[in-house]
Amino acid sequence: MAAARPILGRVLPGSSILFLCDMQEKFRHNIAYFPQIVSVAARMLKVARLLEVPVLLTEQYPQGLGPTVPELGAEGLRPLTKTCFSMVPALQQELDSRPQLRSVLLCGIEAQACILNTTLDLLDRGLQVHVVVDACSSRSQVDRLVALARMRQSGAFLSTSEGLILQLVGDAAHPQFKEIQKLIKEPAPDSGLLGLFQGQNPLLH
């Protein structure tokens, strides 16, 4: 009997979607590496627009937590408001209307709350989840680390922004590659990941 083929986690523009979760004003001074996280998420948004990958944006209780920060560059996107610690209930209709959807690229905050619960809900729907590790954070780096490990245990893929961008574009001959190359010419800013991943970290083995 042949062994089951492993799920490779390939991402293609025509079957992918970008989720941007709750990058709002009130979190600005509380989330570790917030400017760096938003910068990387903004890079993912620019690439999604160039490759015509759909994008969905949420805001958690904006009356209290404020609007999406302007540096994300999300002008033109209509944020869907929520109180649930998952994006999926608010985005249910959008997900149901996209039968071709296979992969969700997930950016935002907080890793142990809305990112984790969104991941679990999406996996439960049979979708592949790619957590953009350099575009997700928490107030606590312990919460961030354990949430990343938990999502990986549950079947999500942990990926960097550049790794996903290059998977999406696929070929240096792509007509948008030169524009995308400009976006990734400078490495993504340091968001503290080396400290989480270095050494013999049992949570990520």
Side-chain angles (χ1 to χ4, degrees):
M1 185 176 176
R5 186 178 178 187
I7 297 173
L8 300 178
R10 296 190 188 279
V11 293
L12 300 168
S15 57
S16 298
I17 194 167
L18 176 64
F19 277 17
L20 301 172
C21 183
D22 305 351
M23 286 172 273
Q24 295 161 251
E25 285 290 349
K26 281 292 179 71
F27 291 120
R28 185 184 292 279
H29 301 297
N30 299 317
I31 300 296
Y33 300 99
F34 185 83
Q36 294 89 336
I37 293 300
V38 172
S39 171
V40 174
R43 182 183 297 199
M44 292 296 298
L45 174 55
K46 288 174 184 173
V47 169
R49 284 172 162 160
L50 285 168
L51 297 179
E52 298 182 349
V53 172
V55 183
L56 295 175
L57 171 73
T58 59
E59 292 178 345
Q60 179 78 8
Y61 185 60
Q63 303 96 310
L65 296 173
T68 298
V69 294
E71 59 266 37
L72 182 60
E75 299 83 4
L77 293 178
R78 181 177 65 88
L80 292 160
T81 63
K82 64 183 183 65
T83 57
C84 182
F85 296 125
S86 168
M87 298 175 76
V88 170
L91 304 181
Q92 190 85 39
Q93 286 187 325
E94 289 280 356
L95 291 170
D96 290 343
S97 69
R98 301 176 189 274
Q100 81 286 2
L101 185 62
R102 188 175 72 180
S103 306
V104 178
L105 284 53
L106 183 54
C107 303
I109 56 179
E110 286 187 69
Q112 83 287 358
C114 296
I115 298 298
L116 172 59
N117 286 306
T118 298
T119 294
L120 297 179
D121 284 348
L122 291 169
L123 291 170
D124 208 30
R125 291 177 66 104
L127 293 165
Q128 295 179 23
V129 181
H130 298 263
V131 180
V132 188
V133 293
D134 47 346
C136 294
S137 192
S138 302
R139 287 164 295 142
S140 157
Q141 290 296 276
V142 172
D143 279 331
R144 184 186 186 193
L145 169 62
V146 175
L148 291 174
R150 173 74 169 84
M151 289 184 276
R152 186 174 178 230
Q153 287 170 336
S154 297
F157 295 98
L158 304 186
S159 304
T160 63
S161 55
E162 185 164 329
L164 286 169
I165 288 166
L166 292 173
Q167 278 193 72
L168 285 168
V169 72
D171 193 319
H174 192 287
Q176 295 291 358
F177 179 69
K178 288 195 181 300
E179 287 303 309
I180 288 169
Q181 189 177 36
K182 294 174 188 174
L183 296 174
I184 62 173
K185 186 176 181 181
E186 293 297 323
D190 174 37
S191 58
L193 287 169
L194 281 179
L196 298 182
F197 284 90
Q198 69 187 1
Q200 299 301 308
N201 190 327
L203 289 173
L204 291 167
H205 288 175

